[in-house]
Amino acid sequence: MTGMDDGSNPTDSLHAPKRRDDERTIAGEHRRMRRADREIIDFARIGEIISRCDIVDVAYADAEGLTMVPLNFGYDYDLASGALTLWIHSASHGRKLDAIRAANNRLPVSFAMRTDCEVIEGRTACNWGEAFTSVIGNGIASIVNGLEERRRGLQLLMAHQAHMPHVEFTDAQINAVTVWKIEATRLTSKVHAKPNHAHTQRFT
């Protein structure tokens, strides 16, 4: 678990408990991940996971209520601090942009991305599960106005989605879309690895 808004750094997890069953939700605080043995706190490893995710699910609330949308994204990630910015583009109109504008260009959001998803078979229905690696976070969404910042956001999007880091965009191309970003304020990452065959035979 990384507290990106408080300057915290990863700590040694070698002696972390397997589970934190005593965790409770407290207003104004962040509840720690219950499955401590599956928590990823190394910034470099989190960055590698993000690099393998193609879709981010972004959730927010507006006047209509709660909603969520899956999106392609580009990103900036600082390996030293764990700071993450997601870059997204869309048409000039729509529910997402209306929500950001209604929030004075500072819309609180949550987001999730995942990779390595694979069904884990079991001998009985209760033994089945799902292997995955995920990153979940909170952040602030805002529309980007500066031309060069929008250009960079689109280049990061192409670098991640199309593996084309040197695409050039004309001013007209940039002005034809809306670029917005999510600056993460908090991240957590989790892995549920698929057990090897010997482990499955022993415990299922």
Side-chain angles (χ1 to χ4, degrees):
M1 187 180 302
T2 64
M4 299 180 60
D5 52 354
D6 59 8
S8 62
N9 293 311
T11 56
D12 182 8
S13 61
L14 293 176
H15 304 292
K18 185 175 181 179
R19 290 180 172 84
R20 301 186 183 105
D21 291 329
D22 293 333
E23 286 292 305
R24 297 291 183 271
T25 299
I26 301 174
E29 297 186 12
H30 292 301
R31 182 172 180 160
R32 295 183 299 172
M33 189 179 297
R34 187 183 69 87
R35 287 300 300 265
D37 56 330
R38 296 179 180 174
E39 184 178 24
I40 300 172
I41 59 175
D42 178 73
F43 289 158
R45 193 173 175 195
I46 293 172
E48 190 274 332
I49 294 167
I50 295 170
S51 74
R52 294 190 288 110
C53 296
D54 296 321
I55 302 293
V56 61
D57 298 315
V58 178
Y60 60 94
D62 62 5
E64 293 185 38
L66 290 171
T67 189
M68 179 183 293
V69 59
L71 298 161
N72 294 115
F73 68 96
Y75 70 96
D76 278 315
Y77 185 73
D78 188 327
L79 291 175
S81 66
L84 172 68
T85 301
L86 302 176
W87 296 86
I88 302 158
H89 84 301
S90 63
S92 298
H93 304 282
R95 183 174 177 180
K96 300 183 297 294
L97 299 183
D98 287 348
I100 295 174
R101 293 181 180 116
N104 295 317
N105 212 32
R106 287 187 56 83
L107 177 67
V109 301
S110 60
F111 59 87
M113 57 186 81
R114 68 201 61 79
T115 187
D116 305 328
C117 298
E118 185 177 355
V119 171
I120 301 173
E121 296 184 10
R123 290 184 177 178
T124 69
C126 293
N127 290 133
W128 282 63
E130 179 83 8
F132 64 88
T133 309
S134 65
V135 173
I136 295 176
N138 301 95
I140 300 295
S142 62
I143 296 170
V144 179
N145 294 312
L147 182 67
E148 292 309 313
E149 190 177 11
R150 285 184 285 154
R151 190 190 312 276
R152 182 169 180 274
L154 292 174
Q155 289 172 332
L156 289 169
L157 182 64
M158 288 298 294
H160 181 52
Q161 295 294 332
H163 309 291
M164 298 170 63
H166 304 296
V167 176
E168 295 296 331
F169 291 92
T170 66
D171 292 357
Q173 289 172 324
I174 296 170
N175 289 326
V177 299
T178 298
V179 178
W180 51 289
K181 64 183 178 180
I182 297 172
E183 294 176 285
T185 55
R186 187 167 184 267
L187 288 179
T188 63
S189 185
K190 185 177 184 180
V191 60
H192 182 198
K194 186 174 183 179
N196 59 41
H197 181 71
H199 181 89
T200 303
Q201 289 292 99
R202 190 181 307 119
F203 293 105
T204 60

